[in-house]
Amino acid sequence: MRNSTSAILWLLIVSFGLLWVLSDVDFFGAIQAGPNALGSVNGEKITNEEYQQRVQYYTTAYSQQTGSSVTPEMRAYYETQAWDELVNSRLLEQKMEDLGITVSDKEVLDMVYGDNPAPVIRQNFTREDGTIDRAAIQQVLSSNEFSQQAIALEMQLREQRRQQKLNNYISSGLQVTESEVEDEYIRNNTSANINFIRFPYSDVSEDELEISDSDLRSYYNNNKDRYSRDESYRIRYVTFSKLPTAQDTAQIIEDVRELRDAFAQAENDSLFLSRQGSSTAYRSAFVPVEDIREEYQPVADLEVGEVSEVILTANQAAILKKEAEQGNEIKFQIMSYNIQALPATIDEANDRAADFEFFASEESSFDEEAETRGLQVKEAFATKGNSFISGLGSSQQIMNFLETADEGDISDIIELSSDFVVVEVIEVTPEGFRPFEEVRSQVENMVKIERRKELTSQRVKDLVAQNQTLNAIAEAAEKEIQSASGLSASATVIPGAGREPKVIGAIFSLDEGATSGAITGNSASFVVEVADRTEADLANLTAQQRQQIRQRLEQQKVQEFTSVWLEELREGADIVDNRSRLLR
């Protein structure tokens, strides 16, 4: 120790100096604060503010369209959608930068003042006579009062033009040729009448199949991609019902019953229904008595102005008021409340779920708490990228939790449509190939299908070799000849035979009057005779049809390419997602 004193002193001095420097730059505060952005794409930040703005846009639109507040499940869906859109927009912006796609000030001005203004300009600055009010445009763009609107409009126009340029760039490399247009026209306008014999693979009995273990393993090794799996999760969960209790139903019925006298005395029924928050809106139309729904028929026996007793439907408690009567028609109003859990019931379920989640996470264990409280523990399975969960239905909230959870983690309370749920992760299985033993039965089924195809095809080939006509083949095989009229070359289904695109392709490679050999289809082997064909005549292809076909094919190509292209950009990008750390 005495010999090492000098070294120890220097080590302490350096350590204290390093700590002083780190403290001076607030290094430890930065660590505790965590990430300063919601995420990033190739180093470009995605802020929490823009993410929340986009989520708010969707939730506001939902409320405006439905008249209801957004559910936790819908919010989780919108959160995922907003994140994906922000990531994709960053990727596209970065790609446009790489490609040098920019928008000049002249192009923006042309979108405003040019002969063909942008749609947003037409929408907001068109006079009644259909002309553009350029004075109003100039006022918005030059007035200090509208400076923020002008900046927002310019950004919107610039982004639209940039996106259009990117679309044009993509489209330019995906041109549809004249040959493709003509081939599409021919496929859609060429048809045939056919006779065929179908030999189902299911005709081969189980006894005829000889399959060894080596056959199964060989098939598995040659087709491993069929047995790949995404990351998956095995979970257990408990639920706390949000459904209305008998007491809730009784209270709602009583609340409606207490409104009978006031409803009968009301002079303005529309205002009454609105003020009382009726789940059925005011209706001004007269209804023939015979058209009134069965549960509302008692209104026919009421006097004008009289109110019925409480009527229970599948989901409502209601009272009916006959407002007017003319001949065989009645005008009546429905004051109703939906049968649903009252706030106290929902709060109680939420409290029980919160209590369970706390003690399961902090004090004991999931199983112990469930047993103590007499709760039924259920198990379920989920796969990444698929929001459907066995036993629970679709839930983006649960998937968001699972995708960031480890084995043994317990979720916060998750609110579904009819339950509060608390989930524990039992097992996380990474993506990869499923082991042979796990998929053995599936492999065996596939090998049997392939063997049945081989045996059936060989039998049909032998029949075709020994018999010259379709009738002779049918007689030898003791099969019926089936027919299909007007079969289009672009079809994928043969009437009476199911989806058989490969067989249809083979049919239209035959000449009129020809009989095929054995054609291997999805569910059967076929022998087909082309009775007659109607060939498409390119002389009938008009310029308008040619343009419509071209536009449709170009749109298909662009959509398919863009989807694949975006997926490749995502796979090659450095995407950092801090949502689980900052938002949950």
PDB file of all heavy atoms in Angstrom, residues 221-233:
ATOM      1  N   ASN A 221     -36.850 -29.249 -45.084  1.00  0.00           N
ATOM      2  CA  ASN A 221     -35.574 -28.581 -45.382  1.00  0.00           C
ATOM      3  C   ASN A 221     -35.644 -27.792 -46.687  1.00  0.00           C
ATOM      4  O   ASN A 221     -35.003 -26.742 -46.816  1.00  0.00           O
ATOM      5  CB  ASN A 221     -34.444 -29.600 -45.449  1.00  0.00           C
ATOM      6  CG  ASN A 221     -34.115 -30.186 -44.090  1.00  0.00           C
ATOM      7  OD1 ASN A 221     -34.264 -29.514 -43.064  1.00  0.00           O
ATOM      8  ND2 ASN A 221     -33.673 -31.435 -44.061  1.00  0.00           N
ATOM      9  N   ASN A 222     -36.432 -28.286 -47.644  1.00  0.00           N
ATOM     10  CA  ASN A 222     -36.530 -27.614 -48.940  1.00  0.00           C
ATOM     11  C   ASN A 222     -37.554 -26.486 -48.942  1.00  0.00           C
ATOM     12  O   ASN A 222     -37.608 -25.702 -49.900  1.00  0.00           O
ATOM     13  CB  ASN A 222     -36.887 -28.630 -50.033  1.00  0.00           C
ATOM     14  CG  ASN A 222     -35.772 -29.616 -50.299  1.00  0.00           C
ATOM     15  OD1 ASN A 222     -34.593 -29.313 -50.114  1.00  0.00           O
ATOM     16  ND2 ASN A 222     -36.128 -30.824 -50.721  1.00  0.00           N
ATOM     17  N   ASN A 223     -38.372 -26.426 -47.905  1.00  0.00           N
ATOM     18  CA  ASN A 223     -39.437 -25.417 -47.867  1.00  0.00           C
ATOM     19  C   ASN A 223     -39.467 -24.686 -46.524  1.00  0.00           C
ATOM     20  O   ASN A 223     -40.542 -24.352 -46.012  1.00  0.00           O
ATOM     21  CB  ASN A 223     -40.793 -26.071 -48.125  1.00  0.00           C
ATOM     22  CG  ASN A 223     -40.901 -26.690 -49.493  1.00  0.00           C
ATOM     23  OD1 ASN A 223     -41.241 -26.027 -50.468  1.00  0.00           O
ATOM     24  ND2 ASN A 223     -40.609 -27.990 -49.585  1.00  0.00           N
ATOM     25  N   LYS A 224     -38.293 -24.420 -45.964  1.00  0.00           N
ATOM     26  CA  LYS A 224     -38.232 -23.810 -44.633  1.00  0.00           C
ATOM     27  C   LYS A 224     -38.928 -22.458 -44.566  1.00  0.00           C
ATOM     28  O   LYS A 224     -39.477 -22.079 -43.528  1.00  0.00           O
ATOM     29  CB  LYS A 224     -36.770 -23.669 -44.195  1.00  0.00           C
ATOM     30  CG  LYS A 224     -36.277 -24.824 -43.352  1.00  0.00           C
ATOM     31  CD  LYS A 224     -34.956 -24.463 -42.698  1.00  0.00           C
ATOM     32  CE  LYS A 224     -34.580 -25.513 -41.649  1.00  0.00           C
ATOM     33  NZ  LYS A 224     -33.331 -25.159 -40.956  1.00  0.00           N
ATOM     34  N   ASP A 225     -38.886 -21.732 -45.681  1.00  0.00           N
ATOM     35  CA  ASP A 225     -39.498 -20.403 -45.665  1.00  0.00           C
ATOM     36  C   ASP A 225     -40.988 -20.458 -45.347  1.00  0.00           C
ATOM     37  O   ASP A 225     -41.561 -19.486 -44.837  1.00  0.00           O
ATOM     38  CB  ASP A 225     -39.300 -19.717 -47.020  1.00  0.00           C
ATOM     39  CG  ASP A 225     -37.861 -19.263 -47.223  1.00  0.00           C
ATOM     40  OD1 ASP A 225     -37.124 -19.223 -46.222  1.00  0.00           O
ATOM     41  OD2 ASP A 225     -37.475 -18.983 -48.367  1.00  0.00           O
ATOM     42  N   ARG A 226     -41.627 -21.583 -45.638  1.00  0.00           N
ATOM     43  CA  ARG A 226     -43.041 -21.729 -45.331  1.00  0.00           C
ATOM     44  C   ARG A 226     -43.289 -21.789 -43.823  1.00  0.00           C
ATOM     45  O   ARG A 226     -44.401 -21.572 -43.367  1.00  0.00           O
ATOM     46  CB  ARG A 226     -43.608 -22.999 -45.958  1.00  0.00           C
ATOM     47  CG  ARG A 226     -43.689 -22.972 -47.471  1.00  0.00           C
ATOM     48  CD  ARG A 226     -44.471 -24.161 -47.978  1.00  0.00           C
ATOM     49  NE  ARG A 226     -44.635 -24.123 -49.415  1.00  0.00           N
ATOM     50  CZ  ARG A 226     -45.434 -24.934 -50.098  1.00  0.00           C
ATOM     51  NH1 ARG A 226     -46.136 -25.854 -49.439  1.00  0.00           N
ATOM     52  NH2 ARG A 226     -45.534 -24.851 -51.402  1.00  0.00           N
ATOM     53  N   TYR A 227     -42.244 -22.110 -43.093  1.00  0.00           N
ATOM     54  CA  TYR A 227     -42.400 -22.322 -41.658  1.00  0.00           C
ATOM     55  C   TYR A 227     -41.620 -21.284 -40.853  1.00  0.00           C
ATOM     56  O   TYR A 227     -41.219 -21.543 -39.729  1.00  0.00           O
ATOM     57  CB  TYR A 227     -41.972 -23.751 -41.298  1.00  0.00           C
ATOM     58  CG  TYR A 227     -42.734 -24.773 -42.115  1.00  0.00           C
ATOM     59  CD1 TYR A 227     -42.132 -25.434 -43.172  1.00  0.00           C
ATOM     60  CD2 TYR A 227     -44.077 -25.014 -41.852  1.00  0.00           C
ATOM     61  CE1 TYR A 227     -42.853 -26.333 -43.948  1.00  0.00           C
ATOM     62  CE2 TYR A 227     -44.792 -25.910 -42.614  1.00  0.00           C
ATOM     63  CZ  TYR A 227     -44.185 -26.568 -43.669  1.00  0.00           C
ATOM     64  OH  TYR A 227     -44.901 -27.439 -44.439  1.00  0.00           O
ATOM     65  N   SER A 228     -41.429 -20.127 -41.467  1.00  0.00           N
ATOM     66  CA  SER A 228     -40.827 -19.023 -40.720  1.00  0.00           C
ATOM     67  C   SER A 228     -41.897 -18.422 -39.818  1.00  0.00           C
ATOM     68  O   SER A 228     -43.100 -18.560 -40.063  1.00  0.00           O
ATOM     69  CB  SER A 228     -40.284 -17.966 -41.675  1.00  0.00           C
ATOM     70  OG  SER A 228     -41.335 -17.420 -42.451  1.00  0.00           O
ATOM     71  N   ARG A 229     -41.488 -17.773 -38.772  1.00  0.00           N
ATOM     72  CA  ARG A 229     -42.443 -17.175 -37.837  1.00  0.00           C
ATOM     73  C   ARG A 229     -41.974 -15.790 -37.442  1.00  0.00           C
ATOM     74  O   ARG A 229     -40.766 -15.511 -37.364  1.00  0.00           O
ATOM     75  CB  ARG A 229     -42.581 -18.048 -36.594  1.00  0.00           C
ATOM     76  CG  ARG A 229     -41.307 -18.156 -35.786  1.00  0.00           C
ATOM     77  CD  ARG A 229     -41.447 -19.108 -34.624  1.00  0.00           C
ATOM     78  NE  ARG A 229     -40.160 -19.294 -33.955  1.00  0.00           N
ATOM     79  CZ  ARG A 229     -39.883 -20.319 -33.171  1.00  0.00           C
ATOM     80  NH1 ARG A 229     -40.782 -21.258 -32.971  1.00  0.00           N
ATOM     81  NH2 ARG A 229     -38.699 -20.427 -32.593  1.00  0.00           N
ATOM     82  N   ASP A 230     -42.923 -14.925 -37.179  1.00  0.00           N
ATOM     83  CA  ASP A 230     -42.626 -13.616 -36.624  1.00  0.00           C
ATOM     84  C   ASP A 230     -42.465 -13.758 -35.114  1.00  0.00           C
ATOM     85  O   ASP A 230     -42.771 -14.809 -34.543  1.00  0.00           O
ATOM     86  CB  ASP A 230     -43.756 -12.636 -36.932  1.00  0.00           C
ATOM     87  CG  ASP A 230     -43.868 -12.337 -38.419  1.00  0.00           C
ATOM     88  OD1 ASP A 230     -42.820 -12.238 -39.067  1.00  0.00           O
ATOM     89  OD2 ASP A 230     -45.001 -12.235 -38.919  1.00  0.00           O
ATOM     90  N   GLU A 231     -41.958 -12.722 -34.505  1.00  0.00           N
ATOM     91  CA  GLU A 231     -41.871 -12.724 -33.046  1.00  0.00           C
ATOM     92  C   GLU A 231     -43.265 -12.955 -32.460  1.00  0.00           C
ATOM     93  O   GLU A 231     -44.251 -12.382 -32.939  1.00  0.00           O
ATOM     94  CB  GLU A 231     -41.320 -11.382 -32.557  1.00  0.00           C
ATOM     95  CG  GLU A 231     -41.116 -11.304 -31.054  1.00  0.00           C
ATOM     96  CD  GLU A 231     -40.418 -10.018 -30.639  1.00  0.00           C
ATOM     97  OE1 GLU A 231     -39.197  -9.935 -30.823  1.00  0.00           O
ATOM     98  OE2 GLU A 231     -41.121  -9.101 -30.174  1.00  0.00           O
ATOM     99  N   SER A 232     -43.360 -13.821 -31.469  1.00  0.00           N
ATOM    100  CA  SER A 232     -44.674 -14.142 -30.906  1.00  0.00           C
ATOM    101  C   SER A 232     -44.620 -14.110 -29.381  1.00  0.00           C
ATOM    102  O   SER A 232     -43.535 -14.125 -28.779  1.00  0.00           O
ATOM    103  CB  SER A 232     -45.149 -15.515 -31.394  1.00  0.00           C
ATOM    104  OG  SER A 232     -44.241 -16.530 -31.000  1.00  0.00           O
ATOM    105  N   TYR A 233     -45.793 -14.089 -28.780  1.00  0.00           N
ATOM    106  CA  TYR A 233     -45.888 -13.908 -27.338  1.00  0.00           C
ATOM    107  C   TYR A 233     -46.949 -14.854 -26.769  1.00  0.00           C
ATOM    108  O   TYR A 233     -48.045 -14.972 -27.314  1.00  0.00           O
ATOM    109  CB  TYR A 233     -46.284 -12.468 -26.996  1.00  0.00           C
ATOM    110  CG  TYR A 233     -45.591 -11.431 -27.837  1.00  0.00           C
ATOM    111  CD1 TYR A 233     -46.188 -10.955 -28.999  1.00  0.00           C
ATOM    112  CD2 TYR A 233     -44.336 -10.953 -27.496  1.00  0.00           C
ATOM    113  CE1 TYR A 233     -45.547 -10.019 -29.796  1.00  0.00           C
ATOM    114  CE2 TYR A 233     -43.685 -10.017 -28.276  1.00  0.00           C
ATOM    115  CZ  TYR A 233     -44.298  -9.553 -29.434  1.00  0.00           C
ATOM    116  OH  TYR A 233     -43.657  -8.641 -30.222  1.00  0.00           O
TER     117      TYR A 233
END
